[in-house]
Amino acid sequence: MQKLGMIGWRGMVGSVLMDRMQSEGDFSFVDPYFFSTSQVGQKGPILNGKTTNDLLDAYDIDALKEMDIIITCQGGDYTNSVYKKLMESGFKGYWIDAASALRMESNAVIILDPVNKDVIDNALNSGIKTYVGGNCTVSLMLMALAGLFKQDLIEWVSSSTYQAASGAGAKNMRELLVQMGALYNCVESELKDSHSNVLDIEKKVRMCMNDDTFPTDNFTAPLAGSVLPWIDKEMENGQSKEEWKGMSETNKILGLAPATIPVDGNCVRISSLRCHSQSLTIKLKKDVAVSDIESIIKEQNDWVRVIENKKDVTLDKLTPAYVSGKLEVPIGRIRKMMMGPQYLSAFTVGDQLLWGAAEPLRRMLRLLVA
Ligand code: NAP
């Protein structure tokens, strides 16, 4: 049995990955070894009622080199500090990574097998050993729109995102909840009085969220009661790094040349806890009937769901509250826009910890071992 090294398994992506791997029986195909960057020597996780190895040192190149396959959800700093050393040490195994650090390397493939199994198969046949999960919003957009991309119907896409706090990590999700609690606490007594003036309440909330003591260590600004229209670093062209990933990763995942299909838009952090949503404006290469578009979308993979463009079902099935924890990727609000018959509007929601992070990693493992 091949030896699998698991790194970053107790983080947010790692925990979702562990759940999914246990649900799908993935560990029965491998001999797993668990590593840590901070808890070396402590007890590993319990799998199917059995204890695993005491945690190995995730920076120990000799221990990592023993593995046939490594999955890491530890983050880009870890990848940057270990990957090159491990490769130079003569590691011959497969490296599967959730972090963005290696995505655009020429010897790495971005994995999203319902969309680019052909690209992955070609890479496996040509001996590529590095496989990296895509940016969460890009992967979720492609899970929803791949049918249209594959039929070469898309001239360009503009995506405005509504990204959950958990996309920024565990600490940020906690901070959002603490911010929400602080806002409630500052007007708790006024809310209990049904005669209190709502604009006085708003003023008190506004003063609370702009006070120096308001908890913003992680987001650096209030998110509860607000939105943050910048995610990741600044690029020289005025995009945020998150916005830059839209075009570069979409084209790489689809196996196209870097700038074949333009993808751009604003990426915005909002106060949902889990699930990224996206409002899409799509310029089609030709006029295609909405009913045909819906058929093309829903036939592409087993997880995409077309939601009828009606209010009730949209508010029921096209929200983070409904989609969180589910593998299905709904897309709705599909309609032609006033700009003309080649302009399509749509809205999609997906769990960024599942198809946006953990699921492509475990499915890549299964391509290697079963
Ligand atoms: P995370 O929750 O912050 O976990 C990363 C590591 O932090 C853990 O593996 C763990 O490593 C350490 N850690 C320290 N204190 C911890 C605690 N109290 N509980 C759990 N872990 C703790 O990071 P993440 O959100 O999973 O992201 C991991 C990678 O996936 C990043 O590269 C990220 O960009 C990428 N990604 C994230 C998402 C998302 O939605 N969050 C989506 C797609 C990709 P040790 O056990 O070694 O200490």
Side-chain angles (χ1 to χ4, degrees):
M1 231 184 230
Q2 300 198 66
K3 290 183 179 175
L4 170 69
M6 293 286 293
I7 299 143
W9 53 273
R10 78 182 178 113
M12 206 157 31
V13 172
S15 305
V16 171
L17 178 65
M18 289 287 289
D19 275 358
R20 287 289 302 137
M21 289 178 73
Q22 289 179 82
S23 305
E24 297 293 335
D26 296 340
F27 286 114
S28 58
F29 294 93
V30 288
D31 185 12
Y33 291 81
F34 292 86
F35 290 75
S36 174
T37 61
S38 65
Q39 298 184 328
V40 178
Q42 294 187 30
K43 295 273 169 239
I46 309 249
L47 286 185
N48 298 327
K50 288 192 198 143
T51 49
T52 54
N53 62 291
D54 288 349
L55 296 174
L56 299 165
D57 182 354
Y59 292 106
D60 180 346
I61 299 294
D62 289 336
L64 293 170
K65 205 174 149 189
E66 294 287 304
M67 302 295 123
D68 299 298
I69 303 167
I70 288 172
I71 297 184
T72 168
C73 313
Q74 187 64 31
D77 290 346
Y78 173 77
T79 299
N80 285 331
S81 74
V82 161
Y83 177 81
K84 196 158 170 268
K85 282 187 222 159
L86 183 62
M87 295 303 149
E88 284 169 0
S89 78
F91 176 66
K92 295 276 183 284
Y94 290 91
W95 177 274
I96 303 174
D97 200 335
S100 64
L102 301 171
R103 274 182 207 145
M104 299 315 289
E105 297 292 323
S106 57
N107 69 339
V109 169
I110 307 182
I111 45 177
L112 188 64
D113 68 277
V115 173
N116 71 348
K117 176 84 171 17
D118 52 338
V119 174
I120 296 171
D121 285 343
N122 285 340
L124 285 169
N125 290 335
S126 62
I128 297 239
K129 298 282 184 83
T130 302
Y131 295 89
V132 187
N135 169 265
C136 37
T137 45
V138 174
S139 296
L140 293 170
M141 191 253 298
L142 283 172
M143 286 298 288
L145 288 186
L148 300 180
F149 278 110
K150 297 247 164 192
Q151 298 223 3
D152 197 20
L153 286 171
I154 294 183
E155 188 174 321
W156 52 255
V157 181
S158 179
S159 160
S160 296
T161 71
Y162 305 77
Q163 296 183 221
S166 55
K171 286 185 193 148
N172 294 63
M173 182 155 70
R174 297 177 90 94
E175 185 170 274
L176 172 63
L177 289 165
V178 173
Q179 288 187 356
M180 287 173 165
L183 294 185
Y184 176 76
N185 289 342
C186 81
V187 289
E188 186 178 3
S189 57
E190 288 88 339
L191 285 172
K192 283 183 179 149
D193 173 6
S194 59
H195 299 294
S196 60
N197 183 318
V198 79
L199 286 180
D200 290 341
I201 292 178
E202 182 277 328
K203 187 175 176 193
K204 222 170 155 184
V205 165
R206 189 179 352 135
M207 286 169 67
C208 172
M209 70 166 70
N210 288 302
D211 191 273
D212 286 346
T213 59
F214 195 65
T216 58
D217 287 350
N218 295 288
F219 282 114
T220 71
L223 178 60
S226 189
V227 296
L228 301 176
W230 200 289
I231 298 176
D232 211 335
K233 299 181 190 118
E234 293 181 19
M235 305 291 287
E236 281 184 1
N237 68 356
Q239 285 180 306
S240 68
K241 182 90 185 277
E242 188 79 356
E243 290 153 4
W244 174 84
K245 289 172 186 169
M247 183 156 159
S248 48
E249 291 194 21
T250 296
N251 284 285
K252 182 162 180 175
I253 290 171
L254 293 170
L256 303 171
T260 306
I261 302 177
V263 178
D264 200 356
N266 285 322
C267 288
V268 179
R269 186 77 64 197
I270 61 153
S271 61
S272 62
L273 284 182
R274 182 167 169 168
C275 277
H276 293 342
S277 309
Q278 304 181 60
S279 178
L280 305 167
T281 299
I282 300 158
K283 170 91 189 289
L284 297 169
K285 288 190 174 171
K286 59 183 183 194
D287 181 10
V288 182
V290 165
S291 55
D292 291 339
I293 286 169
E294 290 181 349
S295 303
I296 292 167
I297 287 175
K298 68 180 138 195
E299 279 159 20
Q300 200 280 321
N301 65 65
D302 292 340
W303 296 274
V304 65
R305 302 277 181 277
V306 170
I307 305 296
E308 195 185 359
N309 188 22
K310 296 278 184 208
K311 183 174 177 180
D312 284 1
V313 67
T314 297
L315 296 182
D316 194 27
K317 298 251 176 347
L318 195 59
T319 64
Y322 173 78
V323 177
S324 289
K326 296 188 176 71
L327 280 164
E328 61 196 71
V329 179
I331 175 167
R333 301 307 327 276
I334 299 173
R335 62 180 178 85
K336 293 294 179 74
M337 301 178 81
M338 299 306 286
M339 292 82 164
Q342 285 172 249
Y343 292 85
L344 188 74
S345 183
F347 190 90
T348 181
V349 183
D351 189 319
Q352 94 284 357
L353 290 166
L354 286 166
W355 277 115
E359 198 62 10
L361 306 184
R362 62 155 290 275
R363 289 172 64 90
M364 185 66 220
L365 174 72
R366 290 297 288 267
L367 289 178
L368 296 175
V369 299

